Amino acid sequence: MTLNEKLSAQLKNNNIMKPIPIFVGYDPREAIAYHTCVNSIIRNSSRPVAIVPVALNLFRDYSETHTDGSNHFIYTRFLVPHLMQYEGWAIFIDGDMIVRGDIAELWELRDSYKDVMVVKHDYKTCRTEKYLGAKNEDYPRKNWSSVILWNCNSHPNRRLTSEFVQKATGAELHRFSWLLDERIGELPPEWNWLPDEYGPNPDAKLLHYTLGTPCFHEFADTPQGNEWHRERMLTDYCQQRLPE
């Protein structure tokens, strides 16, 4: 019996719900974005969650060889199945997001006949430059990999070793080229809504500030940016003892 199986059996025997494994992209240049994102997950979840930061400095068997990309987790996100020891399911989300809905609802959309499940965006960007001057080019399946329900146990995803990710191109990874198209499941668009590209959506379950998190001054007033600022204030909150 593997460690995960032992843990699952113990949790079941104790009538405890197993936490949802959620990997969140971390970039030290916008650390507040990660913490705000995590706070939104915890506040709105109806189930226990296990949050894992996808921070480049935490990887010991992976050395970043790519020289492109706008954030520090642009390629390490594809190591989630490896980190899960190719067992079970996991969620990956970028750190420049806030979750407005219950992450357990996203978790319930898992389909065992799919290798991954994503929101299948099809759009042309409104800006050619992102935060910190990063290029923002259009390409097929743009932003599909920013929210991923990973079937870590699927045979094709076992190809995602550290060596494979190091050698693969960005196009190969972000377009899920190692998978058959019919094995890429589709999530509802409200689970990866781009308010700075699509405009406001009051029904969105997850807001993705893909051009720039509102922590950057030039994106402070982005559509639905006020919701991010509110979440940040809740992240900073500390209850004070009232004077006697």
Side-chain angles (χ1 to χ4, degrees), residues 2 15 17 32 44 70 134 153 163 178:
T2 66
N15 198 28
M17 192 174 293
I32 187 59
N44 295 303
S70 58
N153 188 51
E163 183 180 11
W178 71 95

Side-chain angles (χ1 to χ4, degrees), residues 88-145:
W89 283 76
I91 296 173
F92 169 84
I93 66 173
D94 281 7
D96 55 353
M97 302 176 170
I98 58 171
V99 179
R100 302 170 83 232
D102 184 349
I103 201 74
E105 295 179 12
L106 175 61
W107 186 245
E108 291 303 319
L109 297 177
R110 305 184 313 280
D111 182 345
S112 60
Y113 293 101
K114 305 298 181 182
D115 298 317
V116 297
M117 301 188 70
V118 300
V119 174
K120 297 183 177 181
H121 298 282
D122 183 16
Y123 72 101
K124 299 293 183 181
T125 182
C126 64
R127 292 184 57 147
T128 57
E129 187 175 281
K130 298 173 67 173
Y131 63 98
L132 298 178
K135 291 182 180 180
N136 187 34
E137 300 175 348
D138 288 313
Y139 55 85
R141 301 184 175 182
K142 184 179 178 69
N143 261 315
W144 283 27
S145 61

